[in-house]
Amino acid sequence: MRRIVLIPLLLMLASCSSRQSLFVVLPNPDGSSGAVTIEDGQKSVLLDHPYAAGEVRGGVAAPVKVDQAQVQQIFGNALAAQPILPAHFVLYFEKDSDTLTPDSQRQYQAVFADIKRRSVYEVEVIGHTDTLGTVPHNQELSMSRAVMIRERLEHDGISAKSISVAGRGQLDLAVLTADQVAEPRNRRVEITVR
């Protein structure tokens, strides 16, 4: 019987100095950015502003210059495939009611528009109250506010299956107050759209 021995061949890259990794800090929607540090074991490079970039080439980390057009050229397909980030909205209510304030009536349109721009969505609506009234009354009122928003979204064509509601009463105050204090910023629903 013949024995065949296979010897693996290692293929070397034509150039050891070819780029192994490229890191680019992208701006947030408001223009700010986070930061990242890349290290090669001996040296580190801090990337701490929009479009700051660094690479690892031949095992060595170094800063590089890139502009927005280059980022789009290199990462355009990946950027286009990103899901839409979650959005958070706060709508406010009149005292002891489930009636939106006039400003929040207008803000509701932004919530609706954000949901409609997504092909798939989940909407979480959480109602809150100030500390006026009893705890049971406030729990009921917070749920009533959340349900009112859900019903309005449903009326405007948003799938009921994609909307969850909860009432938190006066448990999660936006502005800490004593009991029996009318605080308009606590009379709210918080809406998260994913």
Side-chain angles (χ1 to χ4, degrees), residues 36-52:
V36 65
T37 301
I38 58 172
E39 297 181 4
D40 62 16
Q42 295 180 339
K43 171 174 124 178
S44 65
V45 176
L46 175 64
L47 310 175
D48 62 355
H49 60 275
Y51 298 105

Side-chain angles (χ1 to χ4, degrees), residues 8-14:
L9 298 174
L10 298 176
L11 298 176
M12 302 293 288
L13 291 175

Side-chain angles (χ1 to χ4, degrees), residues 113-136:
D114 186 84
I115 297 168
K116 291 304 281 185
R117 73 187 179 112
R118 300 167 188 269
S119 57
V120 177
Y121 53 83
E122 289 180 0
V123 182
E124 178 182 72
V125 182
I126 301 174
H128 302 272
T129 67
D130 58 21
T131 60
L132 284 179
T134 66
V135 171

Side-chain angles (χ1 to χ4, degrees), residues 70-108:
Q70 289 170 309
V71 168
Q72 188 60 40
Q73 180 184 6
I74 296 167
F75 300 109
N77 289 340
L79 292 171
Q82 291 184 100
I84 299 171
L85 294 175
H88 186 75
F89 301 91
V90 180
L91 302 179
Y92 296 96
F93 290 81
E94 300 293 343
K95 182 178 173 183
D96 200 33
S97 78
D98 64 0
T99 302
L100 288 169
T101 64
D103 284 343
S104 289
Q105 288 278 3
R106 290 184 289 278
Q107 179 67 12
Y108 169 83

Side-chain angles (χ1 to χ4, degrees), residues 156-173:
D156 290 338
I158 303 301
S159 169
K161 293 178 183 177
S162 299
I163 304 170
S164 65
V165 297
R168 299 286 295 150
Q170 62 190 54
L171 295 176
D172 295 320
L173 299 174

Side-chain angles (χ1 to χ4, degrees), residues 17-24 38-40 43-45 47 52-66:
S17 65
S18 65
R19 179 180 290 156
Q20 294 167 325
S21 301
L22 174 64
F23 303 89
V24 180
I38 58 172
E39 297 181 4
D40 62 16
K43 171 174 124 178
S44 65
V45 176
L47 310 175
E55 68 179 0
V56 177
R57 186 182 294 262
V60 177
V64 293
K65 291 196 180 288
V66 297

